[in-house]
Amino acid sequence: GENVEQHPSTLSVQEGDSAVIKCTYSDSASNYFPWYKQELGKGPQLIIDIRSNVGEKKDQRIAVTLNKTAKHFSLHITETQPEDSAVYFCAASLTINDMRFGAGTRLTVKP
Amino acid sequence: SAVISQKPSRDICQRGTSLTIQCQVDSQVTMMFWYRQQPGQSLTLIATANQGSEATYESGFVIDKFPISRPNLTFSTLTVSNMSPEDSSIYLCSVEDREGPLGYGYTFGSGTRLTVV
């Protein structure tokens, strides 16, 4: 089955700096790669996703890149703000019921 | 996008007892998913619940320990049976959400934080 590895486990940045979180996956057949943000006491919330036929996707301050050959994808957050502080999870799937999540990255944005 | 109401939001239970968690969705969905998130850990799929059929459990999870009901297309329950402290976790229900802003992906409930003492 799919195995997703995520790095780093914790990340601390100054407000205004950029943050990058990286994930690798094992199953080359996976074709959908979402990113979730989980704030304290809440369920994960989908913030951006990318499909295997696209190399990069942007939405305001966040972007995701995908390298299918190397089987890795990354989340980029620019101009970080304190409200970006949360745990971020990457995931990979081929079908709707086989999504596998990375271990999570705790991002802290210091004012 | 789908709105999920999950109850209870938290509970403290005695070992050996059972707790039933409810998940209500504001729209009809084919599949509902139950996840466990142990403290500081990632999300692990427990089972997939389809209406009208038995739930499909992932490796390491069994029906006797985590019975699931799915009586209709908007509701599901997960029971954590004969609890021990190792069952202390956040339990999350989730649905496929094709109507969300990104057109795909899962929407999660806010979770049930279970502490077993």
Side-chain angles (χ1 to χ4, degrees), chain B:
Chain B
S1 54
V3 176
I4 299 175
S5 173
Q6 190 172 336
K7 297 180 194 178
S9 59
R10 58 178 61 232
D11 207 342
I12 300 174
C13 300
Q14 295 291 322
R15 66 178 69 199
T17 63
S18 298
L19 175 71
T20 296
I21 302 167
Q22 299 180 1
C23 183
Q24 178 77 52
V25 189
D26 69 342
S27 57
Q28 294 184 339
V29 293
T30 303
M31 287 189 283
M32 296 178 76
F33 306 94
W34 286 98
Y35 281 84
R36 181 174 72 183
Q37 186 176 26
Q38 293 177 302
Q41 302 296 313
S42 187
L43 296 91
T44 302
L45 181 64
I46 298 171
T48 301
N50 291 330
Q51 192 265 336
S53 63
E54 281 203 3
T56 303
Y57 289 83
E58 297 297 304
S59 175
F61 298 96
V62 295
I63 187 170
D64 290 346
K65 176 67 176 178
F66 297 102
I68 288 171
S69 78
R70 184 79 203 273
N72 57 52
L73 291 173
T74 64
F75 187 78
S76 179
T77 67
L78 170 76
T79 298
V80 186
S81 304
N82 188 24
M83 290 184 283
S84 66
E86 293 71 38
D87 295 320
S88 298
S89 288
I90 299 172
Y91 292 86
L92 296 145
C93 73
S94 174
V95 302
E96 179 190 3
D97 193 354
R98 295 187 182 272
E99 302 302 322
L102 300 183
Y104 195 89
Y106 287 8
T107 292
F108 284 87
S110 55
T112 296
R113 185 178 295 271
L114 171 62
T115 303
V116 184
V117 297

Side-chain angles (χ1 to χ4, degrees), chain A residues 14-19 60-61 77-82 84 109:
Chain A
Q14 286 294 137
E15 182 177 0
D17 287 352
S18 295
Q60 299 182 344
R61 296 187 297 109
I77 306 174
T78 58
E79 300 172 29
T80 53
Q81 301 167 3
D84 294 329
V109 179

Side-chain angles (χ1 to χ4, degrees), chain A residues 97-108:
Chain A
N97 60 339
D98 74 346
M99 193 167 293
R100 296 292 182 256
F101 289 83
T105 296
R106 182 173 298 278
L107 173 65
T108 302

